[in-house]
Amino acid sequence: AVALAQHSGVADTDSGVAAKDRQRLRRLIQDGILPHPQEGSNFVDLAEALALCCGLAPEKLTREAKAQELASELGGTARQHIVLVLCDGMGCNILAEHLAADSFLRTHNDPDRLRAVFPATTPAALTSLATGAWPGQHGVPGWDLRDQKGCEYPGEPVDGGVIQLRVLHERVTDMRSKHPTSRFGFTDEDVYVSKAWANLGKSIRRHAYINAYNGTAFTEFY
């Protein structure tokens, strides 16, 4: 912010807006309108617990005690099979709106059992599931992402270039030029800041991934 202030007067205004946004966010959490993602167990804890059940661990265990607790509930490394079913966007409000009170999912659902990440978007959540990292750590908050290597100042070019990424695209591509990001000097390590925990060692389990996304309108709506 200091460096930016030396180039223009934007920094003071931006910091004032950011402060107001933080205050508003705190009020929304205090009033119970927004649940705090770190209260109770959350999606990141679940991802880390799954890793522990496979004899692995994310690069950084953010809340090791919570992860160990969930892993123990899942059966740990002694459990023969673990099946995770993820229904994208199926929150408690959706269940309450469309299902009867005595339906299987509503009678077996505990709305306070697990919190989502923030922001609670599909790319943020799925990347947290894969890496065991918070969105602020893995850097994938939404579908379309702008990535750059250097700092940016008003009126000055970015050192190292800029790329535009799209989550779930079949290849790591700059969406503006349609060229591979490697052409612009970006490696996989530059794009994927946090590594998937399944790639950090040899799992004691065999992993099978089945999804209903590929080849559907969901992956083509852009």
Side-chain angles (χ1 to χ4, degrees), residues 62-76:
T62 57
R63 303 199 303 176
E64 186 170 0
K66 284 287 185 182
Q68 293 283 4
E69 179 183 341
L70 275 177
S72 178
E73 289 186 40
L74 292 172

Side-chain angles (χ1 to χ4, degrees), residues 51-151:
L52 294 176
C53 289
C54 294
L56 300 171
E59 290 181 292
K60 296 179 181 179
L61 280 170
T62 57
R63 303 199 303 176
E64 186 170 0
K66 284 287 185 182
Q68 293 283 4
E69 179 183 341
L70 275 177
S72 178
E73 289 186 40
L74 292 172
T77 56
R79 174 79 68 179
Q80 185 175 5
H81 301 296
I82 295 178
V83 178
L84 172 67
V85 179
L86 188 149
C87 299
D88 190 22
M90 195 176 73
C92 296
N93 291 343
I94 297 294
L95 297 182
E97 181 178 350
H98 295 282
L99 297 180
D102 60 350
S103 64
F104 176 84
L105 289 178
R106 287 190 63 182
T107 55
H108 289 78
N109 178 51
D110 180 357
D112 297 319
R113 183 68 183 88
L114 203 66
R115 291 279 172 89
V117 295
F118 182 85
T121 64
T122 297
L126 292 186
T127 307
S128 287
L129 180 64
T131 62
W134 289 96
Q137 295 173 312
H138 62 59
V140 183
W143 291 107
D144 287 286
L145 310 171
R146 183 179 188 274
D147 201 357
Q148 66 187 60
K149 284 190 173 184
C151 294

Side-chain angles (χ1 to χ4, degrees), residues 1 4-5 8-22:
L4 186 60
S8 72
V10 177
D12 293 337
T13 303
D14 287 349
S15 61
V17 172
K20 291 180 180 179
D21 286 344
R22 285 194 296 270

